[in-house]
């Protein structure tokens, strides 16, 4: 298995886990906070928003740019 295949499979697993979490938030609202509320809570400060953008850019640059 090549490195690229491992990365693609890893991203697919993250996508499946994220979709599962989104479905879980719709099914059991009392158990898990919705994704929008969670992201809003995590990025409520300016530094957290800047860090989120930098992490997102780093991930995109290193794993998606070809």
């Amino acid at each position: 298995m090549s490195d690229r295949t491992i990365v693609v499979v890893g991203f697919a697993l993250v996508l499946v886990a994220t979709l599962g979490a989104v479905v879980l938030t719709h099914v059991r609202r009392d158990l898990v906070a919705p994704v929008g509320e969670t992201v809003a809570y995590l990025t409520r400060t300016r530094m957290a928003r800047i860090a989120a953008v930098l992490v997102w850019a780093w991930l995109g640059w290193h794993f998606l740019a070809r």
Side-chain angles (χ1 to χ4, degrees), residues 2-8 11 59-66:
S2 70
D3 291 340
R4 188 177 193 316
T5 304
I6 293 170
V7 169
V8 170
F11 271 106
L59 286 172
W61 181 261
H62 285 85
F63 294 116
L64 300 177
R66 280 238 169 219

Side-chain angles (χ1 to χ4, degrees), residues 3-64:
D3 291 340
R4 188 177 193 316
T5 304
I6 293 170
V7 169
V8 170
V9 169
F11 271 106
L13 290 173
V14 168
L15 177 65
V16 168
T18 302
L19 290 175
V22 169
V23 169
L24 183 64
T25 62
H26 288 295
V27 174
R28 297 286 310 264
R29 289 190 180 264
D30 60 325
L31 183 63
V32 181
V35 175
E37 286 182 24
T38 304
V39 171
Y41 178 78
L42 292 175
T43 58
R44 66 187 183 273
T45 65
R46 181 177 175 92
M47 284 306 295
R49 286 191 299 271
I50 291 170
V53 168
L54 291 175
V55 167
W56 189 256
W58 185 87
L59 286 172
W61 181 261
H62 285 85
F63 294 116
L64 300 177

